[in-house]
Structure formats: C-alpha cells, structure tokens
Amino acid sequence: MSFGRRTGLPGMDPLSPAVLVLSGRVTRAGTPRLCADLEAILATSDAAVVDCDVGGIVEPGLASVEAIARLSVVARRAGGRRLRLLHVPSELGSLIDFVGLTDVVGLDDGAPAEAPGRASGP
C-alpha cells in the first residue's frame, strides 16, 4: 500500500516557513532593505503566505504603512504570494484601515473570523 505525499494546511510550508520580522522604527529610507530581505526569503521558500511580524514596530506611522504596502507588492510579484501581518499594534491597524489597505494585506489579529454577512456589535 502506498500513500501520497501529505499536503498539510493550504498555504503553509512546515519545513521552511516564510517569516519577516519588522522591529524598531520603520522609515522610508529603510524600506528598500526590507523589500530586499523579503525577496531573499521568498527565493528560499515555496510558502504561499509570508508571515510578517510587525509587533516590534515602534511609533508606527505612514512610513510603516508604505513599507507594508511595498512588501505586499513584492510578495504578490513573487508568484502571487500573500503577506499576512502578525501581532499588529492597534495604531498600525488603524492606519492601515484609514488608508484603505485592509483588503490588500492580511491582518491576523488573533480574533476568530466572523461569518460572511454578519456584522459584529450589539
């Protein structure tokens, strides 16, 4: 009896997860380096989703949002991969929502997803 290769969870590569960690103050001048770091990660991983831990960002601002948008473009250009943000500070999440990028980047805030068509609140 033979068994096919297990595929695991969709979009997950347990052997080489694609993870980028952003910390400190993110500036416009540092964004090209972040994009180059992501390109290097993508070159060595087949993961469909790139986890981007943004919990260590200090004083998130529009430069942080711009960097995240550019990182998302880099991921999509590398074979249609997605960028998923982890540990998003509330200030950064509000800025991303304010500029309309919520649908462009995946925000993983740890909250359970709501059923489609259902609004939250009282």
Side-chain angles (χ1 to χ4, degrees):
M1 187 183 295
S2 74
F3 295 93
R5 182 174 180 251
R6 288 187 167 193
T7 58
L9 296 173
M12 298 294 291
D13 183 0
L15 300 178
S16 59
V19 179
L20 178 66
V21 178
L22 304 185
S23 62
R25 187 171 175 93
V26 176
T27 63
R28 293 181 97 195
T31 299
R33 181 188 51 81
L34 294 173
C35 291
D37 290 347
L38 178 58
E39 288 172 345
I41 290 169
L42 293 171
T44 61
S45 174
D46 292 331
V49 177
V50 179
D51 288 333
C52 183
D53 187 344
V54 295
I57 291 180
V58 176
E59 298 179 21
L62 290 177
S64 303
V65 174
E66 180 183 357
I68 290 167
R70 289 182 60 189
L71 290 169
S72 181
V73 169
V74 168
R76 288 184 191 274
R77 286 183 177 168
R81 299 179 190 186
R82 287 187 323 107
L83 189 70
R84 176 175 51 206
L85 302 182
L86 304 175
H87 310 116
V88 182
S90 60
E91 303 88 12
L92 181 58
S94 295
L95 282 171
I96 290 171
D97 185 43
F98 179 72
V99 299
L101 291 177
T102 305
D103 294 335
V104 176
V105 296
L107 297 177
D108 183 19
D109 59 4
E114 294 181 14
R118 293 196 127 159
S120 63

